[in-house]
PDB file of all heavy atoms in Angstrom:
ATOM      1  N   ARG A   9      59.041  14.252  39.679  1.00  0.00           N
ATOM      2  CA  ARG A   9      59.900  15.042  40.569  1.00  0.00           C
ATOM      3  C   ARG A   9      61.325  15.054  40.064  1.00  0.00           C
ATOM      4  O   ARG A   9      62.050  16.071  40.155  1.00  0.00           O
ATOM      5  CB  ARG A   9      59.847  14.510  41.996  1.00  0.00           C
ATOM      6  CG  ARG A   9      58.529  14.674  42.717  1.00  0.00           C
ATOM      7  CD  ARG A   9      58.244  16.168  42.975  1.00  0.00           C
ATOM      8  NE  ARG A   9      59.254  16.808  43.780  1.00  0.00           N
ATOM      9  CZ  ARG A   9      59.299  16.877  45.091  1.00  0.00           C
ATOM     10  NH1 ARG A   9      58.377  16.296  45.806  1.00  0.00           N
ATOM     11  NH2 ARG A   9      60.295  17.480  45.730  1.00  0.00           N
ATOM     12  N   TYR A  35      59.126  28.537  35.446  1.00  0.00           N
ATOM     13  CA  TYR A  35      60.408  29.129  35.755  1.00  0.00           C
ATOM     14  C   TYR A  35      61.469  28.054  35.764  1.00  0.00           C
ATOM     15  O   TYR A  35      61.151  26.913  36.064  1.00  0.00           O
ATOM     16  CB  TYR A  35      60.365  29.826  37.175  1.00  0.00           C
ATOM     17  CG  TYR A  35      59.711  31.160  37.206  1.00  0.00           C
ATOM     18  CD1 TYR A  35      58.320  31.297  37.122  1.00  0.00           C
ATOM     19  CD2 TYR A  35      60.437  32.318  37.302  1.00  0.00           C
ATOM     20  CE1 TYR A  35      57.715  32.508  37.173  1.00  0.00           C
ATOM     21  CE2 TYR A  35      59.865  33.586  37.381  1.00  0.00           C
ATOM     22  CZ  TYR A  35      58.519  33.660  37.269  1.00  0.00           C
ATOM     23  OH  TYR A  35      57.886  34.899  37.337  1.00  0.00           O
ATOM     24  N   GLN A  37      65.418  27.141  37.253  1.00  0.00           N
ATOM     25  CA  GLN A  37      66.517  27.492  38.158  1.00  0.00           C
ATOM     26  C   GLN A  37      67.728  26.652  37.775  1.00  0.00           C
ATOM     27  O   GLN A  37      67.772  25.466  38.005  1.00  0.00           O
ATOM     28  CB  GLN A  37      66.159  27.263  39.623  1.00  0.00           C
ATOM     29  CG  GLN A  37      67.230  27.749  40.555  1.00  0.00           C
ATOM     30  CD  GLN A  37      66.912  27.439  42.027  1.00  0.00           C
ATOM     31  OE1 GLN A  37      66.126  26.596  42.347  1.00  0.00           O
ATOM     32  NE2 GLN A  37      67.606  28.157  42.898  1.00  0.00           N
ATOM     33  N   GLY A  42      69.208  32.200  40.513  1.00  0.00           N
ATOM     34  CA  GLY A  42      67.821  32.418  40.880  1.00  0.00           C
ATOM     35  C   GLY A  42      66.877  31.819  39.876  1.00  0.00           C
ATOM     36  O   GLY A  42      67.296  31.323  38.805  1.00  0.00           O
ATOM     37  N   LEU A  43      65.586  31.900  40.158  1.00  0.00           N
ATOM     38  CA  LEU A  43      64.595  31.412  39.207  1.00  0.00           C
ATOM     39  C   LEU A  43      64.464  32.408  38.091  1.00  0.00           C
ATOM     40  O   LEU A  43      64.420  33.598  38.313  1.00  0.00           O
ATOM     41  CB  LEU A  43      63.248  31.241  39.923  1.00  0.00           C
ATOM     42  CG  LEU A  43      63.080  30.040  40.806  1.00  0.00           C
ATOM     43  CD1 LEU A  43      63.759  30.207  42.115  1.00  0.00           C
ATOM     44  CD2 LEU A  43      61.580  29.745  41.022  1.00  0.00           C
ATOM     45  N   PHE A  45      62.128  33.446  34.684  1.00  0.00           N
ATOM     46  CA  PHE A  45      60.847  33.271  34.015  1.00  0.00           C
ATOM     47  C   PHE A  45      61.018  32.653  32.614  1.00  0.00           C
ATOM     48  O   PHE A  45      61.988  33.042  31.893  1.00  0.00           O
ATOM     49  CB  PHE A  45      60.197  34.655  33.881  1.00  0.00           C
ATOM     50  CG  PHE A  45      58.964  34.673  33.010  1.00  0.00           C
ATOM     51  CD1 PHE A  45      57.746  34.305  33.458  1.00  0.00           C
ATOM     52  CD2 PHE A  45      59.069  35.115  31.640  1.00  0.00           C
ATOM     53  CE1 PHE A  45      56.592  34.382  32.672  1.00  0.00           C
ATOM     54  CE2 PHE A  45      57.960  35.125  30.823  1.00  0.00           C
ATOM     55  CZ  PHE A  45      56.696  34.744  31.341  1.00  0.00           C
ATOM     56  N   ASP A  56      52.868  34.940  27.237  1.00  0.00           N
ATOM     57  CA  ASP A  56      54.229  35.525  27.182  1.00  0.00           C
ATOM     58  C   ASP A  56      55.219  34.376  27.211  1.00  0.00           C
ATOM     59  O   ASP A  56      55.282  33.669  28.223  1.00  0.00           O
ATOM     60  CB  ASP A  56      54.405  36.516  28.349  1.00  0.00           C
ATOM     61  CG  ASP A  56      55.760  37.188  28.360  1.00  0.00           C
ATOM     62  OD1 ASP A  56      56.678  36.791  27.577  1.00  0.00           O
ATOM     63  OD2 ASP A  56      55.940  38.129  29.167  1.00  0.00           O
ATOM     64  N   SER A  58      58.515  35.024  26.405  1.00  0.00           N
ATOM     65  CA  SER A  58      59.761  35.788  26.178  1.00  0.00           C
ATOM     66  C   SER A  58      60.982  35.173  26.888  1.00  0.00           C
ATOM     67  O   SER A  58      62.126  35.432  26.487  1.00  0.00           O
ATOM     68  CB  SER A  58      59.627  37.213  26.636  1.00  0.00           C
ATOM     69  OG  SER A  58      59.312  37.296  28.053  1.00  0.00           O
ATOM     70  N   GLY A  99      48.040  39.434  37.127  1.00  0.00           N
ATOM     71  CA  GLY A  99      48.251  40.573  37.955  1.00  0.00           C
ATOM     72  C   GLY A  99      48.781  40.179  39.297  1.00  0.00           C
ATOM     73  O   GLY A  99      48.960  38.999  39.557  1.00  0.00           O
ATOM     74  N   ARG A 100      48.945  41.129  40.143  1.00  0.00           N
ATOM     75  CA  ARG A 100      49.609  40.840  41.387  1.00  0.00           C
ATOM     76  C   ARG A 100      48.672  40.172  42.348  1.00  0.00           C
ATOM     77  O   ARG A 100      47.610  40.664  42.612  1.00  0.00           O
ATOM     78  CB  ARG A 100      50.168  42.121  41.960  1.00  0.00           C
ATOM     79  CG  ARG A 100      51.407  42.477  41.318  1.00  0.00           C
ATOM     80  CD  ARG A 100      51.463  43.944  41.096  1.00  0.00           C
ATOM     81  NE  ARG A 100      52.626  44.266  40.322  1.00  0.00           N
ATOM     82  CZ  ARG A 100      53.131  45.487  40.305  1.00  0.00           C
ATOM     83  NH1 ARG A 100      52.556  46.414  41.014  1.00  0.00           N
ATOM     84  NH2 ARG A 100      54.174  45.750  39.589  1.00  0.00           N
ATOM     85  N   THR A 101      49.092  39.050  42.785  1.00  0.00           N
ATOM     86  CA  THR A 101      48.434  38.445  43.951  1.00  0.00           C
ATOM     87  C   THR A 101      49.572  38.363  44.973  1.00  0.00           C
ATOM     88  O   THR A 101      50.618  38.897  44.814  1.00  0.00           O
ATOM     89  CB  THR A 101      47.935  37.053  43.570  1.00  0.00           C
ATOM     90  OG1 THR A 101      49.037  36.248  43.105  1.00  0.00           O
ATOM     91  CG2 THR A 101      46.886  37.121  42.475  1.00  0.00           C
ATOM     92  N   GLU A 102      49.312  37.652  46.007  1.00  0.00           N
ATOM     93  CA  GLU A 102      50.369  37.555  47.022  1.00  0.00           C
ATOM     94  C   GLU A 102      51.363  36.531  46.540  1.00  0.00           C
ATOM     95  O   GLU A 102      51.528  35.500  47.132  1.00  0.00           O
ATOM     96  CB  GLU A 102      49.750  37.131  48.296  1.00  0.00           C
ATOM     97  CG  GLU A 102      48.811  38.176  48.921  1.00  0.00           C
ATOM     98  CD  GLU A 102      49.529  38.993  49.980  1.00  0.00           C
ATOM     99  OE1 GLU A 102      50.106  38.389  50.848  1.00  0.00           O
ATOM    100  OE2 GLU A 102      49.413  40.225  49.880  1.00  0.00           O
ATOM    101  N   GLY A 103      51.996  36.815  45.435  1.00  0.00           N
ATOM    102  CA  GLY A 103      52.925  35.876  44.848  1.00  0.00           C
ATOM    103  C   GLY A 103      52.180  34.699  44.246  1.00  0.00           C
ATOM    104  O   GLY A 103      50.962  34.632  44.302  1.00  0.00           O
ATOM    105  N   TYR A 104      52.887  33.864  43.553  1.00  0.00           N
ATOM    106  CA  TYR A 104      52.253  32.657  43.012  1.00  0.00           C
ATOM    107  C   TYR A 104      52.343  31.568  44.063  1.00  0.00           C
ATOM    108  O   TYR A 104      53.036  31.621  45.037  1.00  0.00           O
ATOM    109  CB  TYR A 104      53.041  32.123  41.842  1.00  0.00           C
ATOM    110  CG  TYR A 104      53.469  33.040  40.775  1.00  0.00           C
ATOM    111  CD1 TYR A 104      54.770  33.057  40.341  1.00  0.00           C
ATOM    112  CD2 TYR A 104      52.569  33.939  40.157  1.00  0.00           C
ATOM    113  CE1 TYR A 104      55.172  33.845  39.304  1.00  0.00           C
ATOM    114  CE2 TYR A 104      52.981  34.731  39.155  1.00  0.00           C
ATOM    115  CZ  TYR A 104      54.297  34.726  38.722  1.00  0.00           C
ATOM    116  OH  TYR A 104      54.721  35.548  37.747  1.00  0.00           O
ATOM    117  N   GLY A 107      54.861  24.828  42.549  1.00  0.00           N
ATOM    118  CA  GLY A 107      54.993  23.435  42.772  1.00  0.00           C
ATOM    119  C   GLY A 107      56.317  23.046  43.333  1.00  0.00           C
ATOM    120  O   GLY A 107      57.185  23.951  43.485  1.00  0.00           O
TER     121      GLY A 107
ATOM    122  N   ASP B  31      57.957  48.015  41.096  1.00  0.00           N
ATOM    123  CA  ASP B  31      57.157  48.659  42.164  1.00  0.00           C
ATOM    124  C   ASP B  31      56.455  47.651  43.063  1.00  0.00           C
ATOM    125  O   ASP B  31      55.592  47.971  43.825  1.00  0.00           O
ATOM    126  CB  ASP B  31      56.107  49.608  41.521  1.00  0.00           C
ATOM    127  CG  ASP B  31      55.196  48.887  40.550  1.00  0.00           C
ATOM    128  OD1 ASP B  31      55.344  47.646  40.384  1.00  0.00           O
ATOM    129  OD2 ASP B  31      54.299  49.551  39.997  1.00  0.00           O
ATOM    130  N   TYR B  32      56.848  46.392  43.000  1.00  0.00           N
ATOM    131  CA  TYR B  32      56.283  45.363  43.856  1.00  0.00           C
ATOM    132  C   TYR B  32      57.363  44.349  44.107  1.00  0.00           C
ATOM    133  O   TYR B  32      58.015  43.871  43.157  1.00  0.00           O
ATOM    134  CB  TYR B  32      55.098  44.740  43.153  1.00  0.00           C
ATOM    135  CG  TYR B  32      54.214  43.884  44.044  1.00  0.00           C
ATOM    136  CD1 TYR B  32      53.426  44.500  45.043  1.00  0.00           C
ATOM    137  CD2 TYR B  32      54.129  42.515  43.912  1.00  0.00           C
ATOM    138  CE1 TYR B  32      52.630  43.699  45.888  1.00  0.00           C
ATOM    139  CE2 TYR B  32      53.327  41.765  44.719  1.00  0.00           C
ATOM    140  CZ  TYR B  32      52.562  42.381  45.716  1.00  0.00           C
ATOM    141  OH  TYR B  32      51.768  41.622  46.502  1.00  0.00           O
ATOM    142  N   LEU B  34      58.716  40.884  46.566  1.00  0.00           N
ATOM    143  CA  LEU B  34      58.322  39.754  47.424  1.00  0.00           C
ATOM    144  C   LEU B  34      59.570  39.045  47.936  1.00  0.00           C
ATOM    145  O   LEU B  34      60.632  39.127  47.367  1.00  0.00           O
ATOM    146  CB  LEU B  34      57.514  38.734  46.620  1.00  0.00           C
ATOM    147  CG  LEU B  34      56.286  39.167  45.885  1.00  0.00           C
ATOM    148  CD1 LEU B  34      56.643  39.497  44.439  1.00  0.00           C
ATOM    149  CD2 LEU B  34      55.193  38.057  45.846  1.00  0.00           C
ATOM    150  N   TYR B  36      60.542  35.056  49.042  1.00  0.00           N
ATOM    151  CA  TYR B  36      60.149  33.649  49.051  1.00  0.00           C
ATOM    152  C   TYR B  36      61.161  32.902  49.859  1.00  0.00           C
ATOM    153  O   TYR B  36      62.372  33.261  49.912  1.00  0.00           O
ATOM    154  CB  TYR B  36      60.188  33.093  47.626  1.00  0.00           C
ATOM    155  CG  TYR B  36      58.958  33.409  46.783  1.00  0.00           C
ATOM    156  CD1 TYR B  36      58.910  34.538  45.987  1.00  0.00           C
ATOM    157  CD2 TYR B  36      57.860  32.498  46.780  1.00  0.00           C
ATOM    158  CE1 TYR B  36      57.791  34.797  45.216  1.00  0.00           C
ATOM    159  CE2 TYR B  36      56.756  32.750  45.989  1.00  0.00           C
ATOM    160  CZ  TYR B  36      56.746  33.902  45.214  1.00  0.00           C
ATOM    161  OH  TYR B  36      55.619  34.137  44.416  1.00  0.00           O
ATOM    162  N   ALA B  41      64.638  20.647  47.856  1.00  0.00           N
ATOM    163  CA  ALA B  41      63.701  19.728  47.142  1.00  0.00           C
ATOM    164  C   ALA B  41      62.241  20.153  47.227  1.00  0.00           C
ATOM    165  O   ALA B  41      61.370  19.351  47.006  1.00  0.00           O
ATOM    166  CB  ALA B  41      63.846  18.267  47.684  1.00  0.00           C
ATOM    167  N   GLY B  43      59.417  23.620  46.301  1.00  0.00           N
ATOM    168  CA  GLY B  43      59.256  24.846  45.578  1.00  0.00           C
ATOM    169  C   GLY B  43      59.298  26.060  46.528  1.00  0.00           C
ATOM    170  O   GLY B  43      59.160  25.938  47.716  1.00  0.00           O
ATOM    171  N   PHE B  46      55.797  31.639  49.222  1.00  0.00           N
ATOM    172  CA  PHE B  46      55.631  33.083  49.491  1.00  0.00           C
ATOM    173  C   PHE B  46      55.734  33.371  50.954  1.00  0.00           C
ATOM    174  O   PHE B  46      55.107  32.700  51.806  1.00  0.00           O
ATOM    175  CB  PHE B  46      54.280  33.530  48.882  1.00  0.00           C
ATOM    176  CG  PHE B  46      53.954  34.941  49.293  1.00  0.00           C
ATOM    177  CD1 PHE B  46      54.543  36.024  48.688  1.00  0.00           C
ATOM    178  CD2 PHE B  46      53.024  35.206  50.319  1.00  0.00           C
ATOM    179  CE1 PHE B  46      54.241  37.331  49.058  1.00  0.00           C
ATOM    180  CE2 PHE B  46      52.730  36.490  50.702  1.00  0.00           C
ATOM    181  CZ  PHE B  46      53.328  37.546  50.098  1.00  0.00           C
ATOM    182  N   ASN B  93      58.777  42.935  40.482  1.00  0.00           N
ATOM    183  CA  ASN B  93      58.180  43.162  39.150  1.00  0.00           C
ATOM    184  C   ASN B  93      57.686  44.532  39.022  1.00  0.00           C
ATOM    185  O   ASN B  93      57.713  45.345  39.935  1.00  0.00           O
ATOM    186  CB  ASN B  93      57.180  42.076  38.772  1.00  0.00           C
ATOM    187  CG  ASN B  93      55.820  42.237  39.400  1.00  0.00           C
ATOM    188  OD1 ASN B  93      55.570  43.206  40.094  1.00  0.00           O
ATOM    189  ND2 ASN B  93      54.947  41.308  39.131  1.00  0.00           N
ATOM    190  N   GLY B  94      57.206  44.814  37.783  1.00  0.00           N
ATOM    191  CA  GLY B  94      56.753  46.180  37.470  1.00  0.00           C
ATOM    192  C   GLY B  94      57.466  46.695  36.252  1.00  0.00           C
ATOM    193  O   GLY B  94      58.430  46.060  35.782  1.00  0.00           O
ATOM    194  N   THR B  99      53.079  42.761  35.367  1.00  0.00           N
ATOM    195  CA  THR B  99      52.556  42.454  36.743  1.00  0.00           C
ATOM    196  C   THR B  99      52.580  40.953  37.035  1.00  0.00           C
ATOM    197  O   THR B  99      52.181  40.527  38.054  1.00  0.00           O
ATOM    198  CB  THR B  99      51.115  42.957  36.928  1.00  0.00           C
ATOM    199  OG1 THR B  99      50.300  42.363  35.955  1.00  0.00           O
ATOM    200  CG2 THR B  99      51.095  44.464  36.856  1.00  0.00           C
ATOM    201  N   TYR B 100      53.079  40.132  36.072  1.00  0.00           N
ATOM    202  CA  TYR B 100      53.017  38.706  36.336  1.00  0.00           C
ATOM    203  C   TYR B 100      54.433  38.078  36.227  1.00  0.00           C
ATOM    204  O   TYR B 100      54.641  36.979  36.698  1.00  0.00           O
ATOM    205  CB  TYR B 100      52.113  38.021  35.304  1.00  0.00           C
ATOM    206  CG  TYR B 100      52.502  38.283  33.877  1.00  0.00           C
ATOM    207  CD1 TYR B 100      53.543  37.622  33.264  1.00  0.00           C
ATOM    208  CD2 TYR B 100      51.825  39.250  33.121  1.00  0.00           C
ATOM    209  CE1 TYR B 100      53.888  37.878  31.947  1.00  0.00           C
ATOM    210  CE2 TYR B 100      52.175  39.551  31.840  1.00  0.00           C
ATOM    211  CZ  TYR B 100      53.217  38.872  31.238  1.00  0.00           C
ATOM    212  OH  TYR B 100      53.573  39.153  29.955  1.00  0.00           O
ATOM    213  N   LYS B 101      55.400  38.784  35.718  1.00  0.00           N
ATOM    214  CA  LYS B 101      56.723  38.204  35.544  1.00  0.00           C
ATOM    215  C   LYS B 101      57.631  38.755  36.628  1.00  0.00           C
ATOM    216  O   LYS B 101      57.875  39.933  36.731  1.00  0.00           O
ATOM    217  CB  LYS B 101      57.323  38.630  34.180  1.00  0.00           C
ATOM    218  CG  LYS B 101      58.619  37.983  33.819  1.00  0.00           C
ATOM    219  CD  LYS B 101      59.249  38.645  32.620  1.00  0.00           C
ATOM    220  CE  LYS B 101      58.354  38.626  31.388  1.00  0.00           C
ATOM    221  NZ  LYS B 101      59.061  39.231  30.233  1.00  0.00           N
ATOM    222  N   TYR B 102      58.107  37.836  37.476  1.00  0.00           N
ATOM    223  CA  TYR B 102      58.960  38.239  38.563  1.00  0.00           C
ATOM    224  C   TYR B 102      60.433  37.997  38.207  1.00  0.00           C
ATOM    225  O   TYR B 102      60.793  36.997  37.628  1.00  0.00           O
ATOM    226  CB  TYR B 102      58.578  37.447  39.848  1.00  0.00           C
ATOM    227  CG  TYR B 102      57.288  37.964  40.410  1.00  0.00           C
ATOM    228  CD1 TYR B 102      56.095  37.294  40.137  1.00  0.00           C
ATOM    229  CD2 TYR B 102      57.245  39.091  41.260  1.00  0.00           C
ATOM    230  CE1 TYR B 102      54.908  37.725  40.705  1.00  0.00           C
ATOM    231  CE2 TYR B 102      56.002  39.507  41.762  1.00  0.00           C
ATOM    232  CZ  TYR B 102      54.867  38.835  41.490  1.00  0.00           C
ATOM    233  OH  TYR B 102      53.695  39.298  42.002  1.00  0.00           O
ATOM    234  N   PHE B 104      63.930  37.320  39.892  1.00  0.00           N
ATOM    235  CA  PHE B 104      64.439  36.768  41.145  1.00  0.00           C
ATOM    236  C   PHE B 104      65.889  37.120  41.309  1.00  0.00           C
ATOM    237  O   PHE B 104      66.659  37.113  40.353  1.00  0.00           O
ATOM    238  CB  PHE B 104      64.231  35.288  41.209  1.00  0.00           C
ATOM    239  CG  PHE B 104      62.829  34.808  41.507  1.00  0.00           C
ATOM    240  CD1 PHE B 104      61.858  34.858  40.538  1.00  0.00           C
ATOM    241  CD2 PHE B 104      62.506  34.370  42.753  1.00  0.00           C
ATOM    242  CE1 PHE B 104      60.544  34.410  40.877  1.00  0.00           C
ATOM    243  CE2 PHE B 104      61.233  33.951  43.085  1.00  0.00           C
ATOM    244  CZ  PHE B 104      60.278  33.999  42.100  1.00  0.00           C
ATOM    245  N   GLY B 105      66.269  37.259  42.575  1.00  0.00           N
ATOM    246  CA  GLY B 105      67.668  37.291  42.938  1.00  0.00           C
ATOM    247  C   GLY B 105      68.177  35.856  43.026  1.00  0.00           C
ATOM    248  O   GLY B 105      67.461  34.904  42.847  1.00  0.00           O
TER     249      GLY B 105
END
Side-chain angles (χ1 to χ4, degrees):
Chain A
R9 290 293 302 271
Y35 280 76
Q37 184 183 20
L43 284 77
F45 171 83
D56 181 350
S58 59
R100 282 138 184 201
T101 58
E102 296 261 310
Y104 312 131
Chain B
D31 60 359
Y32 193 69
L34 305 95
Y36 279 89
F46 170 77
N93 79 3
T99 58
Y100 55 80
K101 186 191 304 182
Y102 287 96
F104 281 78

